[in-house]
Amino acid sequence: MELHEKSISEINQSLRTKELSVEDVLAYFKARAEKLNPELNAFLGLEIEQPAKIDPSSSAIAGVPFGVKDNIVLEGRETTAASRILKGYKPPYTATVLSKLLSADAIPFGRTNCDEFAMGSSTENSSYGPTLNPWDKSRVPGGSSGGSAAAVAAGLVPYALGSDTGGSIRQPAALTGIVGLKPTYGRVSRYGLLSLASSLDVIGPFTHSVADAALVFEHMAGFDIMDATTVNKEVPSYINALDRGIKGMKIGVPKEYFIQGMQAGVEKAVKDAIQELENLGAEIMEVSLPSSPYGLAAYYVILPVEASSNLSRYDGIKYGLRNNQAESLYDIYTQTRGEGFGREVKRRIMLGTYASSSGYYDAYYKQAIKAREHIRAEFKEIFKQVDCLVTPTAPTTAFKIGEKMNDPLSMYLNDVFAVTANIAGIPAISVPCGFDEGLPVGLQFMAPWFKEETLFQAAGAYESATEWTKQRPNI
Amino acid sequence: MAISENEVNKVAELARLEISADETKQYAGQLSAVLDYVDKLKELPALENAGQGDVIHQTDELRNDTSDGGRYQNEILANAPTRKDNYLSVPAVFND
């Protein structure tokens, strides 16, 4: 077995027994990335932040490198959110998740490509070119964290971090055949994540297996005094949940997540997976979440409104790009932003500005907040009846590069099953559950607030019973 | 809900974005399509217990409001396109 096919624990174990040195591991992944990345474009940079001294026995992830989405800051290392407007920006501080992983002797390895400011579902909106899907290079890896997903799927790095505001971890995980976790809002610090929509954003891991996800997540979760939206709640051992089995677990199948127009092969793979869960002893119940179909509409009001406010800081004054022809302050703002932002970012800033402007605020933003409350209330009710929910992660497999670029609405619809977890703030995980015409399909589990344990228990049982998380693209 | 090109330009001005004539045209159609889609939110009835939605944050835990001595001043200023001594610099806001 080659190094890139090994689990995080196996790599750490090889370091502990001195079968391998940290230098061997880094050299292996560096060589692999240098060979495959020029085509895949999963990494924007291959900087390695190796701490002075690494003790492989200090943690279960010690000495193992990981990719970082280009919207999570590390002091002194260029971070651009794949935008021209932040070219050259060197953050003066380090994100809490990275500090936590660094203190566990894990090694940040490269900055991964993404849609500009995490706006998109295909990674085509990057100012530095699209990332290709390792399963079929004519297709997108999903987005916005598509670089992280492709880097892990292609074995360029054992795991990677992404951010999920409306599916940006789970949808690319599904489209590239790996595991992606979106934690409960408030479970992981957002300090050092460049803000998109602050009430929705969370950081989570991409891994090959559910077991790896549980392992990494134990080192990421927890309260942070630098992020007032994190919650001071004990972090349990997630690893222990993996082998509990799901005998008697009540799993809900919400009928609103099986819609017309869904790709037939995706529906089949997901239905087969649900049958497998039943075979493993789970009690499968059909349930209804009638407000879920409004989730995407609410999302495309809440997100642009928050984003248009958050992105007002990129104005050519404090950092990044400035248009040098501009003479007045007003011209500096408009010309820098006009030139520095790509089309999707501008589109969403305009949408948010419009929806929050006087005269439209009640019609759009207030309605969206009402939908958010409906959705949360329904999840709260449903979790009195079931332990978790299972749905498809995305309605299709990976689509062709360019296919949806001129039709934003059809691109947005790829996140229709993923956004509700962000709107409600609940945790969700995508695990591979099969293929349709050679392209991976993702299965999504959603659990109550702070019950990531239940996700690991259910997804862990499914992983042990199937072979899907062992599949790798031929690259 | 159709958005006119005039409205697009007005919103771009509010958002401090310079956009080309080609973008104005494109955004008018695309923003209209998205707004038509989000219009379905109006179908939802009012909620009885509005404002009770946040199940995550029962209490606020805030850090002390104290200064850490401005230790990032140099790093922050190093990112500025233009600076004068220890300040960010911009063109004059008022003429005369």
Side-chain angles (χ1 to χ4, degrees):
Chain A
M1 190 191 268
E2 290 195 76
L3 198 50
H4 68 272
E5 294 167 321
K6 292 191 174 182
S7 71
I8 295 171
S9 319
E10 284 166 341
I11 296 173
N12 175 258
Q13 203 53 40
S14 305
L15 292 169
R16 288 183 190 220
T17 59
K18 301 204 163 60
E19 185 196 321
L20 287 170
S21 69
V22 171
E23 287 68 31
D24 294 336
V25 172
L26 293 177
Y28 178 88
F29 284 104
K30 191 161 179 277
R32 193 166 161 85
E34 278 170 354
K35 184 172 148 221
L36 297 171
N37 193 59
E39 190 183 7
L40 290 175
N41 199 29
F43 284 108
L44 295 176
L46 277 176
E47 307 91 339
I48 301 171
E49 303 290 327
Q50 192 181 344
K53 206 167 155 35
I54 286 177
D55 174 6
S57 60
S58 65
S59 82
I61 59 171
V64 182
F66 65 99
V68 181
K69 187 176 181 179
D70 193 35
N71 63 353
I72 303 172
V73 302
L74 187 62
E75 184 183 341
R77 183 175 80 169
E78 185 177 5
T79 305
T80 69
S83 180
R84 274 192 304 274
I85 210 162
L86 272 181
K87 200 166 172 37
Y89 171 62
K90 297 251 172 83
Y93 68 111
T94 294
T96 299
V97 275
L98 294 186
S99 303
K100 285 174 88 113
L101 292 169
L102 281 164
S103 69
D105 280 2
I107 305 172
F109 178 97
R111 291 180 293 126
T112 57
N113 200 5
C114 55
D115 285 298
E116 184 179 3
F117 285 106
M119 296 189 201
S121 311
S122 68
T123 316
E124 291 166 287
N125 295 325
S126 167
S127 304
Y128 305 102
T131 296
L132 314 187
N133 190 320
W135 290 91
D136 175 347
K137 289 177 210 151
S138 69
R139 291 174 190 271
V140 303
S144 66
S145 317
S148 292
V152 174
L156 307 189
V157 72
Y159 70 103
L161 303 186
S163 62
D164 191 318
T165 305
S168 280
I169 290 175
R170 290 158 290 151
Q171 183 257 15
L175 271 47
T176 58
I178 58 172
V179 174
L181 172 72
K182 175 238 176 273
T184 308
Y185 181 80
R187 180 83 281 192
V188 176
S189 173
R190 291 181 294 114
Y191 180 68
L193 170 67
L194 302 183
S195 298
L196 170 53
S198 308
S199 76
L200 306 168
D201 297 341
V202 281
I203 298 175
F206 286 94
T207 56
H208 279 291
S209 68
V210 179
D212 276 358
L215 187 62
V216 173
F217 190 57
E218 281 188 10
H219 293 276
M220 296 171 62
F223 174 68
D224 178 15
I225 197 71
M226 300 305 282
D227 174 1
T229 60
T230 54
V231 175
N232 204 344
K233 225 176 158 73
E234 202 190 333
V235 178
S237 165
Y238 296 114
I239 295 290
N240 289 340
L242 292 167
D243 300 320
R244 279 181 204 152
I246 52 170
K247 214 168 164 39
M249 184 186 266
K250 291 194 173 88
I251 301 181
V253 181
K255 62 177 188 209
E256 290 80 7
Y257 291 70
F258 292 84
I259 50 169
Q260 268 192 338
M262 197 170 136
Q263 197 172 309
V266 169
E267 186 167 358
K268 182 175 185 308
V270 171
K271 293 239 160 109
D272 289 350
I274 293 170
Q275 183 58 54
E276 181 64 40
L277 295 170
E278 193 166 11
N279 298 346
L280 292 169
E283 189 185 330
I284 305 294
M285 300 162 64
E286 186 178 291
V287 296
S288 175
L289 292 164
S291 298
S292 275
Y294 296 93
L296 194 70
Y299 179 77
Y300 274 99
V301 175
I302 295 169
L303 178 133
V305 167
E306 292 189 24
S308 66
S309 166
N310 273 329
L311 270 65
S312 65
R313 73 191 65 173
Y314 305 108
D315 58 3
I317 305 298
K318 297 183 286 295
Y319 27 58
L321 185 78
R322 174 184 298 180
N323 180 303
N324 287 321
Q325 264 74 56
E327 285 176 5
S328 70
L329 199 54
Y330 180 85
D331 288 346
I332 288 181
Y333 296 152
T334 57
Q335 290 174 18
T336 301
R337 288 160 64 79
E339 178 184 315
F341 289 137
R343 291 211 166 184
E344 180 64 19
V345 173
K346 287 191 223 175
R347 194 148 50 218
R348 294 202 198 180
I349 289 175
M350 304 243 296
L351 194 57
T353 304
Y354 182 84
S356 56
S357 63
S358 160
Y360 297 103
Y361 176 85
D362 282 355
Y364 293 107
Y365 190 68
K366 271 189 146 173
Q367 294 286 330
I369 296 303
K370 187 180 74 184
R372 159 140 67 186
E373 295 198 329
H374 271 282
I375 289 165
R376 277 186 182 156
E378 282 174 12
F379 274 116
K380 211 170 164 180
E381 267 317 295
I382 214 80
F383 286 131
K384 289 178 185 162
Q385 299 164 41
V386 299
D387 298 302
C388 66
L389 297 160
V390 65
T391 74
T393 306
T396 68
T397 50
F399 43 91
K400 290 269 186 193
I401 290 171
E403 187 183 322
K404 297 183 194 287
M405 274 308 268
N406 290 317
D407 185 358
L409 191 55
S410 109
M411 180 82 88
Y412 297 170
L413 283 166
N414 217 256
D415 286 316
V416 66
F417 302 141
V419 292
T420 45
N422 300 82
I423 297 283
I426 56 174
I429 194 168
S430 178
V431 288
C433 71
F435 291 86
D436 184 24
E437 297 187 1
L439 296 169
V441 177
L443 181 72
Q444 175 176 242
F445 291 94
M446 295 188 271
W449 295 267
F450 298 101
K451 288 285 186 193
E452 282 84 359
E453 253 181 301
T454 308
L455 297 178
F456 291 125
Q457 186 182 348
Y462 180 73
E463 172 172 73
S464 302
T466 57
E467 295 285 313
W468 302 120
T469 57
K470 297 193 178 74
Q471 309 302 314
R472 301 295 174 99
N474 187 10
I475 188 160
Chain B
M1 160 127 200
I3 294 199
S4 68
E5 290 183 22
N6 268 344
E7 281 178 294
V8 169
N9 286 327
K10 173 74 187 145
V11 172
E13 193 188 321
L14 286 172
R16 301 290 186 266
L17 285 172
E18 189 174 80
I19 56 171
S20 65
D22 160 52
E23 283 175 294
T24 304
K25 213 173 143 105
Q26 195 190 43
Y27 291 150
Q30 290 173 339
L31 295 181
S32 300
V34 175
L35 289 171
D36 279 343
Y37 177 75
V38 304
D39 245 1
K40 69 167 161 180
L41 291 171
K42 291 181 182 145
E43 298 162 10
L44 274 173
L47 204 68
E48 274 177 32
N49 301 317
Q52 315 262 308
D54 191 348
V55 282
I56 297 173
H57 302 103
Q58 312 295 347
T59 54
D60 286 329
E61 300 213 31
L62 304 174
R63 63 180 184 269
N64 293 331
D65 186 14
T66 51
S67 160
D68 63 6
R71 60 198 158 107
Y72 293 132
Q73 192 178 39
N74 279 327
E75 291 87 340
I76 289 169
L77 284 165
N79 275 305
T82 56
R83 66 187 279 190
K84 193 174 178 190
D85 303 328
N86 280 337
Y87 298 96
L88 298 164
S89 70
V90 296
V93 177
F94 301 107
N95 297 318
D96 303 56

